[in-house]
Each structure stands twice: as structure tokens, then as C-alpha cells.
């Protein structure tokens, strides 16, 4: 029987491995594999097949509405009239809001991702007898495994 488990990159992996070895699992039957981190930059703009769940136009839509109302109100006294000034205000508000959101996604959130230091998970594979499966699963979960899967055979 094989048990596959995932851990965050922490000291709990070493503790789980040493506990498994104390319980009779041989070192040759424990395989630890760290996952690689993403090297490339994350994309800011979404595609039809992939979305990160953040919107770049939310602030632009709000500012567009506000600037359109202000532009239409002031437009009664200006030469082009309220309709044109409302449209101009909407366009300017949208561009300002889009620029603010783009700046926060590219500059500020990039800093947070770098400071956060997100590390990839580690996969631990344990090969054991079926009678030891329950014990190994309990040991892995007690050492904060994110998930455990069993494969009999």
C-alpha cells in the first residue's frame, strides 16, 4: 500500500518522517519530493481560459459613474453641453480607475507576493503494508499533512 500526502514546507515533515521510522517504516520506503516554485511572472490580464478572480475595471466603473455625473452637472454651463461633458467625465473616470487598479496589481501586489514568500508544497510518499496504513495515515495527519491519499495494491 502506498500513501501520498502533501505538506507545507515546514519542520513537520521531518518530524513525521522520524515518527514513521520509529514506528517501523524503513527509510527506503519513504520518498519526499518538493514541488518547484513558479519561475515566470504572473499575468495581469485574464484570458478566456484562465482567470485569477480579480477585476481591473471595478474602480474604473465607479469613478466613471461619479465623473459622468459631475461632468454632466458642470456641462450645463460649458460650451459642449451636459451630454458631451458627461461622456468625457465617464471616459476620464474610467481611465483613472483602471490606472489605479493596474498600478495596485502590478506594483503593490507584486511586493506583497515577494514579501509573503509563498513556498510550494512537499509531497511525501510512504510505501507500507496494508496493516500499517491506518497508523501511517494518523501519523501524517497528526503532523499537519494537508491531505492524504491511499493506493492499495
Amino acid at each position: 500500500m502506498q500513501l501520498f500526502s502533501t505538506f507545507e514546507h515546514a519542520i513537520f515533515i521531518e518530524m513525521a518522517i522520524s515518527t514513521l521510522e520509529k514506528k517501523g517504516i524503513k527509510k527506503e520506503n519513504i520518498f519526499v519530493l518538493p514541488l518547484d516554485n513558479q519561475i515566470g511572472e504572473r499575468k495581469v490580464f485574464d484570458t478566456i481560459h484562465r482567470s485569477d478572480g480579480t477585476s481591473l475595471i471595478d474602480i474604473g466603473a465607479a469613478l466613471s459613474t461619479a465623473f459622468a455625473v459631475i461632468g454632466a452637472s458642470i456641462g450645463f454651463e460649458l460650451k459642449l453641453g451636459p451630454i458631451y461633458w458627461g461622456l468625457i467625465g465617464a471616459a476620464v473616470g474610467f481611465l483613472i480607475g483602471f490606472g489605479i487598479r493596474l498600478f495596485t496589481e502590478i506594483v503593490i501586489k507584486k511586493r506583497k507576493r515577494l514579501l509573503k514568500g509563498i513556498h510550494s508544497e512537499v509531497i511525501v510518499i510512504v510505501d507500507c503494508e496494508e496493516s500499517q496504513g491506518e497508523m501511517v495515515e494518523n501519523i501524517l495527519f497528526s503532523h499537519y499533512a494537508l491531505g492524504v491519499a491511499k493506493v492499495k495494491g
Side-chain angles (χ1 to χ4, degrees):
M1 165 182 260
Q2 287 185 328
L3 281 95
F4 295 83
S5 62
T6 57
F7 286 86
E8 290 181 356
H9 209 86
I11 191 69
F12 298 113
I13 302 166
E14 297 293 330
M15 294 169 56
I17 292 170
S18 65
T19 305
L20 288 171
E21 288 175 357
K22 287 179 187 174
K23 296 290 184 177
I25 305 294
K26 294 180 183 175
K27 191 180 283 189
E28 297 84 32
N29 293 337
I30 302 172
F31 185 70
V32 180
L33 181 69
L35 298 174
D36 292 332
N37 289 328
Q38 184 179 3
I39 295 172
E41 286 287 322
R42 286 190 165 175
K43 295 182 176 145
V44 176
F45 294 103
D46 296 337
T47 64
I48 195 168
H49 302 291
R50 183 202 58 83
S51 175
D52 58 359
T54 59
S55 174
L56 294 176
I57 64 168
D58 53 353
I59 297 174
L63 289 180
S64 174
T65 304
F67 280 42
V69 170
I70 293 169
S73 298
I74 295 173
F76 282 107
E77 298 175 3
L78 298 176
K79 185 176 181 181
L80 293 176
I83 294 176
Y84 284 121
W85 281 107
L87 290 173
I88 291 169
V92 168
F94 181 79
L95 291 175
I96 290 173
F98 184 76
I100 290 170
R101 189 69 168 160
L102 198 60
F103 176 76
T104 59
E105 288 292 322
I106 291 175
V107 176
I108 295 173
K109 289 196 178 181
K110 181 179 179 183
R111 283 187 201 153
K112 284 184 182 178
R113 276 195 303 261
L114 293 176
L115 292 175
K116 195 174 182 181
I118 297 174
H119 297 291
S120 61
E121 296 176 351
V122 176
I123 299 173
V124 177
I125 303 170
V126 180
D127 194 15
C128 64
E129 301 294 325
E130 283 194 39
S131 60
Q132 297 174 319
E134 189 75 24
M135 175 201 57
V136 172
E137 183 179 12
N138 289 336
I139 289 171
L140 294 173
F141 274 129
S142 68
H143 288 89
Y144 305 106
L146 297 176
V148 176
K150 296 180 192 177
V151 177
K152 295 180 181 179

